[in-house]
Amino acid sequence: MSRAQNGPGRVNKSKLKIGIVGAGLAGMVAAMDLADAGHEVEMFELRPYVGGKVSSWKDKDGNHIEMGLHVFFGCYYNLFGIMKRTGSFDQHLRLKEHIHTFINTGGHLGALDFRFPIGAPISGLQAFAKTEQLGLADKFHNAVRLGTSPIVRALFDFDGGMDMVRELDDITFSEWFTRLGGSRGSLDRMWDPIAYALGFVDCDNISARCMLTIFMLFAIRTEASVLRMLDGSPQTGLHDPIIKYLEDRGVKINTGMGCRDIVHETDSDGKPTYVKGIKVGPKDEYKEFDAVVCALDVPGIKKVLPENFRKFKMFDNIYQLDTVPIATVQVRFDGWVTEMNSESRMMDVSGDQSDGKGGGIDNLLYSADAEFSCFADLAITSPGEYYKEGEGSLIQAVFDERAFGRSEEQIKNDCIEQLGQLFPSSRKLKCTWASVTKLGQSLYREKPGQDKFRPTQATPVSNFFLAGSYTYQDYLDSMEGATRSGLMVADEIIERADGIGGLKDMAERKREEELQQQA
């Protein structure tokens, strides 16, 4: 966190002109560090807004639309450092109760309640022992399996535990979990909803490394499983402070201007050797840079990379990565959907119920009995821009590929129907507004065996770099993963900027060669 909060800690002697393709979290974080290291940075984003997969915007009626449900786990240390650096951590994040709640059919609740006087790992052990989500037999098998996991080693040797977790990328979580005693019941009722929430695939298809990475953090660090959510939209609470930070340091952000081509030199075999610049926008405007960073998601980098880059195995491996489709549903009601204790309170939308005073549950929710495995009432959890006076819940739920192929109208209706199954009393409420946002290619699919295809931030082309949560870093494809990759690519460039053979020296020699050729 301190590294992200304090910046790179050095200013390069040589000032580079750097182009960043993509203004998602990874690109913006990289730009922060590179600007602070004394470089001239310009960014290019295809969409009319920044944020990438964490972007949000307003529709014609002023409703805030999002591409997903964005929750900030307590182990998002690098992202929190960035938010502290921009001043948004204390101003825009709302801390939630230290409990993970499961909503089952008929309104029956289960939970992992981490609230306990003693921290991790004791708080986690008692949470699993007391949970209503599992029966006694499943609790026993669950304890046996977790007790023989890398988590135990990580309690006294974190790096050793992490090494063990990395070696489990070639099997699914289900295979790992059932190998030494884990039960199917635990997977179906608890771990599947969590797997869907993390990567939009179930335990039978998600890498054991992916799941165990976050569970290990939960087990050894008390704060890791604490949840926070933004007070309003990602644009206001996360992106706007970063944009101000960048603009204050002279970074130019071009939206609606995607990269059309990467202009580069090649060797006799046709392999790229040096990137001269990029062509951007509808007119293919040429921009020359000393270094270029492609901070894109998986479909974005596949579209931008020239075909001959695939002559290098690192770039060719990217095309082995797959993605998952999601549909984000936002449904507003004339009452409070998650209020199950009082029908009169459920129906009461009178007066000012801002600042989280609405009826119902103020937290992220999971379910094993719906096609949206995680959801929340944003009018309560993030009321700053999602609560509307005189109206009730704004449920935001994310459907995975099980429902993606349906029409938007059908997905909306399915969401309302399944909410009624989880909260039977809410069937008396009426939907007043709805939105469905489909993203055909979202996170990269965290199936077994993918780590070997993930590229590093530095590439075989000396002045060409990659960032994005799909690139290799020890976390999931997430906001934290994107932040880590942005910091890592900035470190790579800063380290290579100065000295003989450095990026600046290389750029000056290339320019001298061009002048000589012109003469």
Side-chain angles (χ1 to χ4, degrees):
M1 187 184 296
S2 62
R3 161 66 182 86
Q5 183 174 353
N6 298 329
R10 61 186 285 195
V11 176
N12 284 119
K13 296 177 182 178
S14 303
K15 184 174 184 177
L16 297 172
K17 187 177 181 183
I18 301 171
I20 299 180
V21 180
L25 262 181
M28 290 194 291
V29 168
M32 289 173 64
D33 267 10
L34 293 169
D36 282 345
H39 302 294
E40 179 185 341
V41 181
E42 187 169 4
M43 306 186 71
F44 303 90
E45 169 57 48
L46 176 63
R47 296 186 179 102
Y49 40 78
V50 304
K53 296 192 291 288
V54 196
S55 59
S56 66
W57 63 95
K58 289 183 181 180
D59 68 9
K60 59 182 176 62
D61 298 317
N63 298 296
H64 288 269
I65 309 297
E66 293 190 30
M67 282 192 182
L69 181 59
H70 305 296
V71 180
F72 296 70
F73 286 98
C75 51
Y76 281 12
Y77 300 112
N78 292 279
L79 180 55
F80 289 164
I82 291 295
M83 296 184 75
K84 290 183 177 184
R85 190 164 153 193
T86 62
S88 61
F89 181 84
D90 293 324
Q91 184 178 355
H92 292 297
L93 283 178
R94 298 174 69 95
L95 182 67
K96 304 305 176 186
E97 286 283 346
H98 198 178
I99 181 171
H100 294 219
T101 302
F102 295 78
I103 310 295
N104 302 304
T105 299
H108 301 292
L109 302 181
L112 287 172
D113 191 343
F114 295 94
R115 295 172 296 185
F116 200 67
I118 304 173
I122 303 302
S123 57
L125 292 172
Q126 65 84 33
F128 281 102
K130 290 163 53 177
T131 183
E132 309 90 340
Q133 192 64 14
L134 300 177
L136 287 175
D138 286 334
K139 287 181 183 179
F140 171 77
H141 293 299
N142 202 56
V144 169
R145 190 60 189 105
L146 294 180
T148 57
S149 75
I151 293 171
V152 176
R153 179 172 178 178
L155 294 174
F156 57 88
D157 177 11
F158 180 83
D159 291 336
M162 195 66 226
D163 286 341
M164 293 175 67
V165 167
R166 292 189 192 102
E167 293 172 0
L168 294 171
D169 187 58
D170 288 329
I171 63 171
T172 68
F173 183 74
S174 291
E175 289 172 323
W176 174 84
F177 190 74
T178 56
R179 182 178 291 174
L180 291 174
S183 66
R184 189 74 233 181
S186 294
L187 293 171
D188 292 342
R189 300 308 301 168
M190 176 175 288
W191 299 121
D192 267 352
I194 295 174
Y196 275 119
L198 293 176
F200 305 119
V201 290
D202 62 18
C203 292
D204 290 342
N205 292 284
I206 199 168
S207 162
R209 177 205 58 79
C210 174
M211 293 284 278
L212 288 169
T213 295
I214 196 163
F215 294 159
M216 191 167 73
L217 289 168
F218 282 12
I220 66 176
R221 296 175 182 170
T222 305
E223 76 282 354
S225 52
V226 176
L227 299 178
R228 290 174 175 82
M229 296 182 72
L230 288 169
D231 183 54
S233 70
Q235 182 65 45
T236 301
L238 182 59
H239 307 324
D240 283 348
I242 295 178
I243 291 171
K244 183 179 186 307
Y245 188 97
L246 293 174
E247 291 179 342
D248 286 348
R249 287 155 180 78
V251 176
K252 185 177 181 182
I253 304 172
N254 302 282
T255 55
M257 189 175 284
C259 176
R260 306 290 290 270
D261 191 19
I262 298 172
V263 180
H264 59 282
E265 298 175 354
T266 60
D267 63 14
S268 58
D269 295 324
K271 288 184 177 181
T273 58
Y274 186 81
V275 169
K276 299 171 67 176
I278 56 177
K279 290 182 179 180
V280 296
K283 297 182 179 180
D284 285 354
E285 181 182 356
Y286 177 60
K287 298 273 189 175
E288 190 172 286
F289 294 104
D290 300 329
V292 170
V293 180
C294 273
L296 300 167
D297 57 9
V298 170
I301 192 63
K302 288 180 178 179
K303 289 178 182 176
V304 166
L305 280 180
E307 182 65 26
N308 66 320
F309 274 54
R310 296 184 68 175
K311 291 177 180 287
F312 284 111
K313 187 173 180 59
M314 172 188 284
F315 295 122
D316 191 54
N317 280 341
I318 294 172
Y319 294 81
Q320 300 296 319
L321 297 173
D322 191 13
T323 55
V324 291
I326 62 169
T328 301
V329 185
Q330 293 171 279
V331 190
R332 194 178 290 279
F333 292 88
D334 60 354
W336 303 104
V337 170
T338 65
E339 173 56 58
M340 295 185 286
N341 296 322
S342 167
E343 183 174 322
S344 61
R345 181 69 185 96
M346 179 187 74
M347 304 296 295
D348 181 13
V349 295
S350 61
D352 180 7
Q353 299 192 42
S354 61
D355 199 27
K357 296 192 290 285
I361 304 173
D362 180 10
N363 214 325
L364 175 71
L365 303 172
Y366 304 88
S367 181
D369 296 328
E371 290 177 309
F372 45 88
S373 55
C374 63
F375 61 105
D377 185 347
L378 297 189
I380 302 173
T381 63
S382 305
E385 291 173 313
Y386 292 109
Y387 167 74
K388 286 189 175 183
E389 189 167 349
E391 300 207 45
S393 294
L394 176 61
I395 299 295
Q396 183 158 302
V398 183
F399 283 76
D400 53 69
E401 60 190 334
R402 292 173 291 181
F404 185 81
R406 302 169 199 162
S407 69
E408 293 183 3
E409 181 68 17
Q410 187 61 54
I411 291 174
K412 180 201 77 173
N413 292 336
D414 290 343
C415 182
I416 294 171
E417 179 182 351
Q418 291 176 40
L419 284 169
Q421 294 168 358
L422 300 180
F423 304 96
S425 57
S426 72
R427 291 171 177 154
K428 298 180 180 180
L429 303 177
K430 294 180 180 178
C431 168
T432 60
W433 173 84
S435 168
V436 177
T437 302
K438 284 188 170 184
L439 189 59
Q441 296 176 303
S442 61
L443 306 182
Y444 86 86
R445 191 181 295 271
E446 301 243 25
K447 61 186 179 183
Q450 297 302 284
D451 267 7
K452 61 180 175 286
F453 300 129
R454 298 169 67 188
T456 55
Q457 288 74 34
T459 78
V461 183
S462 57
N463 70 329
F464 181 69
F465 301 84
L466 300 175
S469 52
Y470 77 95
T471 61
Y472 196 85
Q473 38 78 27
D474 268 337
Y475 203 71
L476 321 179
D477 189 345
S478 61
M479 293 185 289
E480 173 70 1
T483 303
R484 289 189 184 201
S485 77
L487 294 169
M488 291 167 73
V489 77
D491 283 342
E492 295 284 2
I493 294 172
I494 292 167
E495 185 63 30
R496 290 165 167 77
D498 298 323
I500 298 174
L503 292 172
K504 189 64 177 181
D505 179 58
M506 195 183 311
E508 289 175 346
R509 284 192 285 109
K510 290 289 183 182
R511 280 190 281 270
E512 288 176 6
E513 290 174 5
E514 287 185 2
L515 290 173
Q516 290 173 0
Q517 290 172 0
Q518 292 171 3

